[in-house]
């Protein structure tokens, strides 16, 4: 692909990983640009952050769609395509996707997960790793597929679990690595398109 790859970042909350991707995209040699930040909740704090950075911030509120998740995703898909988005980066997007959006963006949708997948998919990853007596935790960037947190792994970062760690202290250290890993992995990934 010629020029910078247009990336949309999907969020549900404050968007700290989105912020890390925005910072990375400012580098002249970065192969991607953040063309859109899209949230499923109007109160997602990351929308204001994106707007302050001069990035289009859009909410496609899930509430009006009720339980029709596919209809919600069709509205998201239309917004992405209208803006020429080429790759989606999920960054704290807290909805399980239907096959509609997963299939529509197959091979072009990434997610970051706060564990060393395939261990601890889903929620409460840090507490589960500590309870299991793990010595190491971390984070994973993977392609999104139909199975939750099951897609091909593109990159991982390891973080030691320290004596006395709880899910909050471990989460804070893993998040630091998430910010570095996601930007580096996304840049490498778009270079292969």
């Amino acid at each position: 692909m010629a020029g910078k790859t247009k990336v949309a970042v999907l969020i549900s909350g404050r968007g700290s990983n989105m912020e890390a991707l925005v910072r990375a995209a400012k580098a002249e040699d970065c192969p991607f640009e953040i063309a859109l930040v899209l949230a499923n909740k109007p109160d997602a704090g990351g929308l204001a952050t994106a707007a302050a950075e001069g990035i289009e911030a859009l909410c496609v509120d899930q509430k009006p769609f009720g339980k029709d998740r596919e209809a919600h995703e069709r509205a998201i898909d239309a917004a992405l395509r209208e803006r020429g988005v080429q790759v989606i980066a999920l960054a704290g997007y807290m909805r399980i996707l239907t096959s509609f959006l997963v299939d529509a963006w197959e091979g072009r949708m990434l997610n970051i997960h706060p564990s060393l997948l395939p261990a601890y998919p889903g929620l409460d990853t840090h507490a589960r790793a500590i309870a299991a007596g793990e010595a190491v935790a971390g984070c994973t960037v993977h392609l999104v597929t139909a199975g939750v947190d099951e897609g091909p792994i593109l990159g991982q970062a390891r973080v030691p679990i320290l004596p006395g760690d709880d899910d909050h202290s471990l989460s804070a250290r893993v998040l630091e690595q998430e910010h570095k890993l996601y930007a580096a992995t996304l840049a490498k990934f778009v270079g292969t398109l």
Side-chain angles (χ1 to χ4, degrees), residues 60-78:
V60 179
D61 191 349
Q62 68 192 37
K63 282 188 181 174
F65 295 92
K67 295 185 183 206
D68 192 346
R69 292 180 19 231
E70 184 176 320
H72 178 240
E73 289 177 8
R74 285 186 182 278
I76 290 170
D77 183 63

Side-chain angles (χ1 to χ4, degrees), residues 88-132:
I88 298 172
L90 302 178
Y93 189 71
M94 302 304 287
R95 295 223 352 141
I96 295 174
L97 300 174
T98 72
S99 61
F100 168 75
L101 201 63
V102 172
D103 292 348
W105 291 86
E106 182 180 2
R108 296 181 296 138
M109 187 183 327
L110 287 68
N111 184 43
I112 187 149
H113 183 74
S115 79
L116 293 172
L117 293 174
Y120 308 110
L123 301 174
D124 302 319
T125 58
H126 305 302
R128 290 164 49 209
I130 291 167

Side-chain angles (χ1 to χ4, degrees), residues 170-188:
L170 179 57
S171 173
R173 289 200 323 283
V174 170
L175 191 60
E176 288 178 23
Q177 294 305 311
E178 287 181 37
H179 294 167
K180 296 174 188 172
L181 178 69
Y182 211 175
T185 305
L186 180 58
K188 185 176 178 183

